[in-house]
Amino acid sequence: MASSPSIVWLRDDLRLADNPALSAAIERGGPTLVVYLLDEDSPGARPLGGASRWWLHGSLRSLADDLAALGGRLTLRRGAASDVIPSLVAETGAGAVYWNRRYGALRDVDAALKVSLRADGLVVESFGASLLHEPWKITSGSGDPYRVFTPFWRACLAAGDPRPPLPAPASIDGLAAAGDDLDDWHLLPTRPDWAAGLREAWTPGEAGALDRLERFIDEGLPLYHRRDEPGIEATSRLSPHLRFGELSPHQVWARVHGPLEPAAAANRAKFLSEIGWREFSYSILFHQPELATVNVRRDFDAFPWGEPDPAELEAWRRGTTGIPIVDAGMRQLWTSGWMHNRVRMIVASLLTKNLLIDWRVGEQWFWDTLVDADEASNAASWQWVAGSGADAAPYFRVFNPVLQAERFDPDRAYVRRWVPEVDGPEYPRPIVDLAASRIEALAAYEAVKAAK
Ligand code: FAD
């Protein structure tokens, strides 16, 4: 049993159960320092959007309480990991550092740190904790990453069951170091406080995540075949919990393979394949860390995106386009920090195709406003809708928001909920002619075809 302390550096894994880095530290023995860094300084770090900052505050608060209940402490520090982690090692005399892996640009920070800490004689280990399968293990026959979802997911399923989740530790011999007060990070909005709708909709933290999973198993999963209907609660809303790692996909996988009612069991495979889209997004990010800025299909670099019309962009952001399903989605997003998947596709199609605004503008708005804003899934999904991404919908497939609403919100429950004035005289006329703008979009796409 080691007598020197271990450091567990938490990032997108704000949980105690199924946390391999935490379990490794406890198994090593000796005191454990658990640290979270607010790192906006490392190369490749993207500052969190407002809704994510709100979520992070709640999640860290909950984690600190959960740790304290087991005898642990959460230390908060701010700054670049390459400075803060070595100084924590020096302050505590730690002999080991553990973390769970990241898959985007910041993995270079982790790799460099691992080399330098090991050179100083420390034990440093990283673990797979947020994906069912490590991206470098799922490759096509030729060894290249998959570009199409269906064979990717088939390969994941063929790779066998993911490891079972680990239990939460029974107790922690906690060590603390001097750190920041969470409130001093000012993650919560104050003037104005726009978070009332978020507080009403969500409970950040591990307990809230497990609660949400159980509720979904009982109420949502039996209805999951109707997941495309935004007016009913048929999807899990686990996305922000998975984003911050309050719950791992291994826990979801294990629960969904546990006892289920027949109606829920019938939807198991479909639900897991959506978790598969998350894995696919991370696989794309792993092979292209600059996914939020660079087209996956480089022929799209020739696409003639227009300069956004400020009034049109503002109407899209605020949900005043005069297109009811779009306005409903954008208001759901602004109010609750979340939007139904089908509607995300519709609003993204309107922005990139009917308004010819660069997908990166939409990606940034979602980054700021979604509680589940995710470096892999957000960028990959925007590129998917825009046509520039992996396994993307062909550009010429332009969603018609009127037909989409008729098909997926036939009783208009969703639109009426978020746009109560929709049938009144004050509701605006559409800001864009859908038929004419579709033809313009197809003409603009010719530039991509010419660039091939
Ligand atoms: P469920 O249907 O219950 O699915 C379960 C889980 O699977 C989700 O929580 C999520 O982790 C994952 N998942 C489901 N669908 C997808 C998908 N298409 N791609 C990747 N993962 C998926 N998802 C995010 O988590 N973060 C984002 O920033 C994000 N941005 C998006 C932007 C656009 C333009 C679009 C079209 C989709 C985006 N998605 C994003 C994917 C999807 O819309 C959400 O994951 C889903 O709506 C979350 O709701 P849920 O948890 O109820 O999903």
Side-chain angles (χ1 to χ4, degrees), residues 375-396:
E375 61 172 336
S377 301
N378 196 36
S381 301
W382 272 96
Q383 293 222 42
W384 185 87
V385 177
S388 64
D391 199 6
Y395 185 84
F396 52 79

Side-chain angles (χ1 to χ4, degrees), residues 19-65:
N19 192 320
L22 180 62
S23 295
I26 288 167
E27 194 164 311
R28 176 172 174 265
T32 300
L33 178 108
V34 179
V35 61
Y36 180 87
L37 306 187
L38 187 61
D39 180 357
E40 295 178 333
D41 302 320
S42 287
R46 183 178 185 185
L48 294 179
S52 297
R53 289 168 68 86
W54 176 85
W55 190 285
L56 179 64
H57 180 102
S59 196
L60 290 174
R61 176 74 76 219
S62 159
L63 179 71
D65 291 347

Side-chain angles (χ1 to χ4, degrees), residues 216 224 227 234-240 242-243 271 274-279 281 338-342 344-345 347-348 366-367 370 372-375 377-379 381-382 384-385:
F216 169 66
Y224 200 69
R227 69 194 164 278
T235 71
S236 69
R237 301 193 187 213
L238 285 171
S239 49
L242 285 164
R243 148 68 185 90
F271 173 65
E274 298 301 325
I275 301 281
W277 274 96
R278 179 176 176 275
E279 302 268 320
S281 301
W338 185 88
M339 194 195 302
H340 185 276
N341 178 59
R342 167 70 36 188
R344 292 187 201 204
M345 294 194 280
V347 304
F366 272 31
W367 182 259
L370 277 172
D372 63 25
D374 182 285
E375 61 172 336
S377 301
N378 196 36
S381 301
W382 272 96
W384 185 87
V385 177

